[in-house]
């Protein structure tokens, strides 16, 4: 945050704190265990990823709404090499479809790669970013129900 | 609008190079200018630098003036840096095309470069992830192998495409590169012999079903081309190659916003149709194609969306040798991104240079016979496609 030693250009994680992003409520919700996204109060569009302007009608009158609790796996792959820093193989990437039409791509955790099937239901698993990298931050991973 | 021609090109040696970013630029720029006796570095009025990672591995912000200076080029009408990740090269060529076609400038050099092989693997993979949506995808460890792996699985499920058919794309392209001395893997072939289907099938898994040999190669490399107006081109060469069709489609950036079924690539189909219409040609008129085989599955889906085979039959198309010499359309005669390597900013420009050699009949051992029309395609993601079609401009 105010840390002069924080290496901003080598940080792959999102900026989450109130002083660096206008989407800080999204991350606050996440810390409460809630995955949300932005809905446009003018045209009603519910969209992903969250933004500060509606990409349909360009209104900036937006609110946070809850994502459905569960999604279904449309596709997945188990990555064992060429893994970005901060992650360890095997990494199960999944495309997750939600009933509101939104698709999110995120890794599965607490799930054995051999147990994953297409169509499996998954739910949110909030994961802490390692604490040495710029304070208290979280990511939204998923796990098999 | 004036007609625009490709009049010269050049590449340097690609691979793990003991050379910096600007030294790669110097080598390829010199090769290009040396190849055309009628042009000197002092004649070049416009310079477009195509590179994706100038700020990360250069390490150079606003790189165009420094790289022009390395070659003694002092642009008087146009200089800029363009960046569209894997499609940067084609983007540069299109930009030069408009500038010349409009009548504003007569001659432009496009130079593409990338320095990718840096010591830290973490940094290499960080850079790869940075090309995905930084705020919503890259931070979840998404990078190209896993994304194309999911496209491959979708195609395998829907159309019965096999891992062996994926491997056959790699085999074809590695075999083509046996005759491409600048290719990243060329020296290895000399030492260890040609790549076999067995080597490819048994190569280590990256992200199922993508194995090491299904992937293009990170490499250091550069390439340059010179474009000129028709009138100028006639002064400079008796073997011009004309740019006759182009398209660019950006359906989305984030992969989560892509169309639902990843076995189909509608944005590419749309781009192909536009480029064919502008060029006034049909799919079967294309003699050779330099398409974006970032992964084997990409080439399979591309041969379908370009209309060279029926949708779903891309696996069969390569298996039957129809994308190889003697087939319907020779795909990636220099060995593609898989065997030459993929220095992002340089790729599209090296592909254009290959097309120049092929349409001039100067491609040596890898010459495609009687080639008149060639197509160049790059993608920068599932929904981002860049196409240029070229035609031989002399008898």
């Amino acid at each position: 945050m105010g840390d002069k030693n924080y290496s901003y250009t080598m940080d792959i994680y999102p900026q989450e704190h109130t002083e660096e992003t206008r989407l800080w409520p999204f991350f606050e919700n996440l810390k409460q265990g809630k995955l949300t996204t932005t809905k446009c109060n003018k045209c009603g569009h519910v969209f992903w990823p969250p933004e500060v302007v509606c990409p349909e009608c360009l209104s900036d009158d937006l609110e946070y709404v809850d994502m459905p609790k569960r999604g279904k796996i449309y596709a997945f792959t188990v990555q064992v090499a060429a893994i970005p820093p901060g992650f360890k193989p095997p990494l199960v990437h999944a495309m997750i479809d939600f009933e509101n039409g939104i698709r999110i791509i995120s890794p599965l955790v607490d799930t054995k790669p051999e147990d994953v099937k297409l169509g499996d239901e998954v739910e949110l698993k909030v994961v802490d970013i390692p604490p040495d990298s710029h304070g208290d931050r979280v990511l939204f991973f998923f796990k098999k129900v | 609008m004036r007609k625009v021609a490709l009049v010269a090109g050049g590449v340097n040696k690609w691979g793990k190079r003991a050379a910096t970013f600007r030294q790669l630029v110097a080598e390829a720029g010199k090769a290009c200018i040396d190849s055309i006796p009628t042009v000197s570095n002092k004649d070049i009025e416009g310079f477009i630098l195509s590179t994706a990672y100038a700020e990360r591995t250069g390490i150079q912000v606003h790189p165009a003036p420094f790289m022009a200076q390395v070659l003694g080029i002092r642009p008087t009408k146009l200089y800029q840096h363009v960046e569209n990740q894997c499609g940067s090269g084609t983007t540069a060529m299109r930009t030069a095309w408009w500038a010349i076609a409009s009548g504003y400038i007569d001659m432009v050099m496009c130079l593409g470069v990338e320095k990718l092989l840096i010591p830290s693997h973490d940094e290499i993979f960080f850079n790869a992830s940075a090309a995905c949506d930084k705020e919503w995808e890259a931070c979840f460890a998404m990078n190209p192998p896993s994304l194309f792996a999911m496209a491959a699985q979708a195609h395998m499920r829907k159309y019965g495409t096999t891992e062996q058919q994926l491997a056959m794309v790699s085999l074809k392209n590695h075999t083509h590169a046996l005759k491409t001395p600048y290719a990243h893997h060329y020296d290895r072939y000399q030492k260890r012999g040609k790549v076999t289907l067995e080597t490819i099938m048994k190569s280590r898994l990256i992200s199922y079903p993508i194995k090491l040999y299904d992937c293009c190669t990170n490499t250091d490399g550069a390439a340059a081309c010179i474009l000129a107006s028709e009138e100028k081109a006639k002064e400079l060469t008796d073997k011009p190659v004309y740019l006759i069709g182009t398209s660019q489609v950006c359906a989305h950036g984030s992969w989560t916003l892509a169309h639902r079924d990843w076995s189909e690539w509608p944005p590419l189909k749309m781009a192909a149709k536009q480029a064919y219409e502008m060029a006034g040609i049909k799919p079967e008129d294309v003699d050779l194609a330099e398409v974006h085989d970032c992964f084997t599955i990409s080439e399979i889906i591309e041969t379908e969306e370009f209309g060279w085979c029926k949708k779903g039959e891309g696996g069969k198309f390569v298996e039957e040798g129809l994308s190889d010499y003697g087939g319907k359309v020779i795909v990636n005669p220099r060995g593609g991104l898989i065997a030459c390597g993929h220095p992002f900013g340089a790729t599209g420009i090296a592909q254009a240079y290959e097309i120049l050699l092929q349409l001039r009949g100067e491609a040596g051992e890898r010459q495609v016979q009687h080639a008149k029309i060639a197509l160049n395609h790059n993608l920068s993601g599932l929904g981002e496609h860049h196409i240029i079609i070229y035609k031989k401009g002399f008898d």
Side-chain angles (χ1 to χ4, degrees):
Chain A
M1 294 178 283
D3 182 2
K4 296 279 195 295
N5 295 317
Y6 166 53
S7 181
Y8 193 91
T9 60
M10 276 305 289
D11 183 8
I12 199 77
Y13 299 117
Q15 271 68 46
E16 301 187 1
H17 303 302
T18 51
E19 59 269 47
E20 47 190 23
T21 175
R22 289 178 53 196
L23 289 175
W24 60 267
F26 171 88
F27 296 100
E28 284 303 312
N29 291 339
L30 205 52
K31 284 176 191 166
Q32 312 294 319
K34 273 200 311 184
L35 181 64
T36 54
T37 192
T38 37
K39 177 187 174 186
C40 176
N41 285 326
K42 187 171 170 217
C43 75
H45 187 42
V46 178
F47 52 92
W48 183 266
E51 305 285 1
V52 297
V53 166
C54 170
E56 279 301 309
C57 74
L58 302 189
S59 165
D60 57 5
D61 178 11
L62 307 178
E63 66 170 324
Y64 289 90
V65 292
D66 289 345
M67 285 288 293
K69 292 278 178 226
R70 292 179 176 181
K72 279 189 179 168
I73 297 178
Y74 164 75
F76 71 97
T77 182
V78 182
Q79 187 168 5
V80 295
I83 305 279
F87 294 88
K88 287 199 175 71
L91 204 54
V92 187
H93 297 275
M95 283 200 245
I96 302 157
D97 284 348
F98 294 86
E99 61 190 18
N100 60 359
I102 284 172
R103 173 178 284 172
I104 292 177
I105 305 180
S106 186
L108 303 184
V109 289
D110 299 346
T111 306
K112 285 186 188 155
E114 57 273 24
D115 291 345
V116 182
K117 295 188 309 298
L118 297 180
D120 277 351
E121 283 206 317
V122 297
E123 62 186 15
L124 178 67
K125 165 80 182 182
V126 179
V127 173
D128 291 333
I129 290 175
D132 58 340
S133 57
H134 197 46
D136 181 23
R137 289 188 291 174
V138 290
L139 291 174
F140 46 98
F141 290 1
F142 292 84
K143 63 177 183 181
K144 251 185 92 162
V145 175
Chain B
M1 294 277 275
R2 300 194 293 178
K3 274 176 80 177
V4 175
L6 185 52
V7 297
V11 288
N12 67 341
K13 173 63 189 160
W14 292 10
K16 186 167 170 43
R17 294 293 317 279
T20 66
F21 185 90
R22 73 201 271 161
Q23 292 157 7
L24 300 171
V25 167
E27 291 173 355
K30 174 177 164 57
C32 177
I33 296 168
D34 283 353
S35 76
I36 178 160
T38 46
V39 174
S40 98
N41 52 352
K42 312 290 182 216
D43 302 329
I44 298 170
E45 309 164 285
F47 180 80
I48 302 180
L49 184 76
S50 152
T51 181
Y53 288 101
E55 290 88 346
R56 296 201 76 88
T57 67
I59 301 166
Q60 185 66 64
V61 173
H62 112 292
F66 303 104
M67 303 310 142
Q69 158 193 317
V70 162
L71 293 164
I73 295 169
R74 294 181 181 83
T76 50
K77 290 192 167 172
L78 167 72
Y79 75 99
Q80 67 188 68
H81 167 204
V82 301
E83 195 274 298
N84 260 337
Q85 173 70 356
C86 306
S88 302
T90 345
T91 302
M93 299 290 283
R94 283 167 46 91
T95 308
W97 184 354
W98 308 144
I100 298 166
S102 73
Y104 174 74
I105 189 168
D106 290 331
M107 183 163 52
V108 176
M109 172 182 264
C110 293
L111 195 147
V113 58
E114 219 67 64
K115 176 81 189 168
L116 292 177
L117 297 175
I118 51 179
S120 157
H121 277 210
D122 272 4
E123 219 176 328
I124 292 173
F125 295 134
F126 182 105
N127 288 345
S129 293
C132 299
D133 182 333
K134 197 274 174 189
E135 297 199 19
W136 299 102
E137 296 177 348
C139 51
F140 298 97
M142 279 179 56
N143 63 15
S146 52
L147 293 162
F148 283 92
M150 288 193 274
Q153 288 189 33
H155 204 268
M156 290 162 80
R157 270 203 305 281
K158 190 164 175 185
Y159 297 114
T161 304
T162 64
E163 285 180 61
Q164 178 150 322
Q165 288 170 335
L166 298 179
M168 291 180 100
V169 171
S170 179
L171 179 66
K172 170 179 69 69
N173 293 349
H174 277 290
T175 305
H176 288 177
L178 289 170
K179 296 170 181 169
T180 310
Y182 79 85
H184 179 103
H185 293 288
Y186 184 81
D187 297 340
R188 179 188 294 192
Y189 307 140
Q190 309 309 308
K191 282 186 210 136
R192 299 193 210 160
K194 63 178 283 194
V195 174
T196 64
L197 193 63
E198 194 189 1
T199 309
I200 297 164
M201 289 294 284
K202 287 189 174 165
S203 63
R204 68 188 167 88
L205 190 64
I206 303 295
S207 195
Y208 180 80
I210 299 293
K211 304 174 199 69
L212 182 66
Y213 276 82
D214 288 300
C215 305
C216 63
T217 309
N218 278 326
T219 196
D220 300 337
C225 279
I226 296 172
L227 292 88
S229 64
E230 180 178 23
E231 192 181 18
K232 187 81 181 169
K234 284 178 177 162
E235 288 173 26
L236 301 175
T237 176
D238 50 10
K239 290 182 169 179
V241 162
Y242 290 101
L243 291 78
I244 59 166
T246 183
S247 62
Q248 193 172 48
V249 167
C250 176
H252 54 85
S254 307
W255 289 65
T256 51
L257 298 181
H259 49 280
R260 299 278 103 174
D261 175 356
W262 284 17
S263 69
E264 317 268 334
W265 291 3
L268 175 55
K269 194 168 187 167
M270 179 195 284
K273 183 168 182 284
Q274 286 181 28
Y276 285 146
E277 279 175 8
M278 182 174 172
I281 64 160
K282 295 191 168 58
E284 55 271 28
D285 296 327
V286 177
D287 298 305
L288 70 107
E290 284 285 322
V291 302
H292 203 86
D293 58 329
C294 47
F295 296 91
T296 48
I297 184 60
S298 316
E299 188 179 305
I300 286 180
I301 295 177
E302 287 153 12
T303 53
E304 297 169 358
E305 303 297 3
F306 276 113
W308 299 319
C309 62
K310 281 189 193 151
K311 185 64 210 172
E313 294 186 359
K316 211 170 104 189
F317 191 70
V318 65
E319 191 171 53
E320 291 177 351
L322 296 173
S323 49
D324 208 340
Y325 289 83
K328 276 177 76 174
V329 49
I330 293 81
V331 179
N332 290 326
R334 71 190 176 112
L337 287 54
I338 284 176
C340 290
H342 184 22
F344 309 115
T347 288
I349 293 170
Q351 290 173 319
Y353 173 49
E354 176 69 11
I355 285 170
L356 179 71
L357 292 175
Q358 291 286 354
L359 297 186
R360 281 179 168 177
E362 295 172 358
E365 284 188 283
R366 59 180 193 275
Q367 182 63 48
V368 173
Q369 295 305 316
H370 314 299
K372 289 195 170 59
I373 291 179
L375 180 147
N376 182 193
H377 160 255
N378 289 137
L379 64 80
S380 312
L382 221 57
E384 297 175 60
H385 297 275
H386 324 262
I387 300 169
I388 300 178
I389 299 174
Y390 294 86
K391 186 176 186 181
K392 182 178 172 180
F394 57 95
D395 293 322

